Structures are given as structure tokens and as C-alpha cells.
């Protein structure tokens, strides 16, 4: 559902032909909760992404994101303003401070429309521009999440390897496939 009060919505950081990426507003909590509340979403997310996903969980996430400094977590919306997912960064620490992790999820009813690839490609370029110290973005994908692996490859990320038995989700041990994008890679996209 598109917000009815577009004047109060944050300005987009990215606008593409398939999506808009912008900071969250409290109006996004309800459509986000509805979109996130599917086991097909949570099964490939970290354990801190709950299922069931409640309105309270959504409000907590919106609050966390808008208070972040720097702000690195955003909502993905269709060009007509409907909630489509979320994308964000986790800054690296210590000797990996110039390597940041990127993560994203797309609402089930938006799958197969190219939104994830378009959002990831544009968001990656934005991250390298916004954070000059950033040299590398990386993503870890759970074994079996072939759609996300395709998104990363289409967005220019390179498969680097497999971390064997690195994930334990709901008592199931899985491999994690690692992808990366370097600052110099973005110039060719």
C-alpha cells in the first residue's frame, strides 16, 4: 500500500526505472510487517529476522534504521510507492573496516520483477559514492537461495567461494556462498 501522505515521506536516495530506495517512515511499518511475514522470506535471513514478523517487529526495525548513524538501512519501494523490501549495510570492524556487508530482501509478491537486481546494483554504486573509505562490499547467501545468488551475479558481484557448514538455521546446517563487489568493479557496471 502506498502512503497517503507523500509530503511526509523521506526523499529517495536512489530512483531507478523499477524502484525507489529511501529512508523508512513510520507509515512503512504496516506494509513491511505484512510483506516480511512469510517463511519463504525468513528462511534465508539471519535468526534476528523473526518469523512470525509482527507490526511491533517492523516498528522496531524502522526506529533502528532511522536512528542509525550513518544511516545505512533503507526501504525499497516500487516506483508508485508500494513497499517492496529492504536493503542495507553492515560496516566492517577492525582490519576489515573498509569491507562492508550488504543485505536485502524483497517482498514475495514483488519477486521476479527485477527489483532486487536493480536495487542492489544502484545501492552498491550509492554505497561506494557515499562512503569513500569503502573498498569492498560482500554478501553471504545461504545454500539453496539460488534466486539471491542470481541477483548478486546480475548486479556484478563475483562468487568468491563457499564457507562450508557456516550457517545453522532452524537446526539445519548449511553452507554459505560468498560474493563480493570491489570499488573498481562498479565502474564497469
Amino acid at each position: 500500500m502506498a502512503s497517503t501522505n507523500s509530503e511526509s515521506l523521506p526523499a529517495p536516495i536512489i530512483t531507478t526505472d523499477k524502484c525507489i530506495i529511501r529512508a523508512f517512515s513510520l507509515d512503512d511499518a504496516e506494509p513491511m510487517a505484512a510483506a516480511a511475514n512469510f517463511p519463504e522470506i525468513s528462511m534465508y535471513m539471519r535468526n534476528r529476522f523473526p518469523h512470525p514478523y509482527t507490526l511491533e517487529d517492523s516498528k522496531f526495525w524502522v526506529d533502528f534504521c532511522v536512528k542509525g548513524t550513518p544511516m545505512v538501512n533503507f526501504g525499497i519501494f516500487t516506483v508508485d510507492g508500494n513497499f517492496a523490501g529492504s536493503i542495507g549495510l553492515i560496516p566492517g570492524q577492525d582490519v576489515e573496516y573498509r569491507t562492508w556487508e550488504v543485505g536485502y530482501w524483497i517482498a514475495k509478491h514483488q519477486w521476479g520483477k527485477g527489483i532486487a537486481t536493480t536495487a542492489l546494483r544502484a545501492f552498491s554504486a550509492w554505497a561506494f559514492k557515499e562512503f569513500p573509505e569503502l573498498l569492498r562490499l560482500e554478501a553471504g547467501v545461504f545454500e539453496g537461495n539460488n534466486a539471491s545468488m542470481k541477483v548478486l551475479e546480475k548486479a556484478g558481484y563475483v562468487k568468491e567461494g563457499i564457507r562450508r557448514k557456516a550457517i545453522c538455521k532452524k537446526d539445519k546446517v548449511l553452507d554459505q556462498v560468498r560474493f563480493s563487489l570491489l570499488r573498481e568493479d562498479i565502474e564497469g557496471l
Side-chain angles (χ1 to χ4, degrees):
M1 160 185 352
S3 174
T4 55
N5 189 3
S6 62
E7 292 178 34
S8 66
L9 294 178
I13 61 163
I14 295 167
T15 301
T16 75
D17 63 329
K18 294 188 187 251
C19 66
I20 295 164
I21 300 175
R22 64 165 173 78
F24 288 108
S25 77
L26 195 52
D27 290 342
D28 301 322
E30 193 171 319
M32 179 168 44
N37 195 28
F38 287 90
E40 298 90 341
I41 304 283
S42 64
M43 70 187 283
Y44 292 122
M45 302 292 286
R46 288 193 164 114
N47 286 338
R48 65 179 168 230
F49 189 98
H51 183 74
Y53 197 99
T54 67
L55 182 57
E56 289 72 32
D57 295 322
S58 188
K59 287 178 179 178
F60 174 85
W61 180 247
V62 167
D63 186 61
F64 173 82
C65 293
V66 298
K67 289 180 179 174
T69 304
M71 189 178 295
V72 292
N73 295 294
F74 301 90
I76 303 170
F77 301 84
T78 61
V79 292
D80 57 357
N82 293 307
F83 183 82
S86 183
I87 194 164
L89 300 167
I90 299 174
Q93 301 295 313
D94 199 1
V95 296
E96 294 182 332
Y97 76 99
R98 299 182 79 179
T99 297
W100 292 17
E101 182 177 358
V102 64
Y104 53 89
W105 65 272
I106 300 296
K108 190 175 174 185
H109 66 280
Q110 299 293 348
W111 291 357
K113 298 179 181 178
I115 292 172
T117 301
T118 302
L120 179 60
R121 186 180 294 132
F123 186 72
S124 299
W126 173 87
F128 283 118
K129 182 180 176 190
E130 189 71 16
F131 302 103
E133 72 280 8
L134 182 60
L135 293 178
R136 168 189 169 91
L137 289 171
E138 61 183 28
V141 182
F142 295 9
E143 166 188 346
N145 191 353
N146 298 328
S148 191
M149 290 184 218
K150 287 179 185 174
V151 164
L152 286 155
E153 289 172 340
K154 287 180 186 176
Y157 282 69
V158 174
K159 179 180 174 181
E160 292 189 323
I162 297 173
R163 294 179 62 220
R164 298 179 303 149
K165 297 184 179 184
I167 304 297
C168 185
K169 180 75 175 187
K170 295 192 176 196
D171 296 323
K172 185 175 180 184
V173 176
L174 303 167
D175 292 344
Q176 183 187 62
V177 183
R178 299 299 295 180
F179 290 83
S180 72
L181 184 72
L182 303 179
R183 177 177 288 281
E184 54 265 29
D185 296 338
I186 203 77
E187 296 167 3
L189 298 179

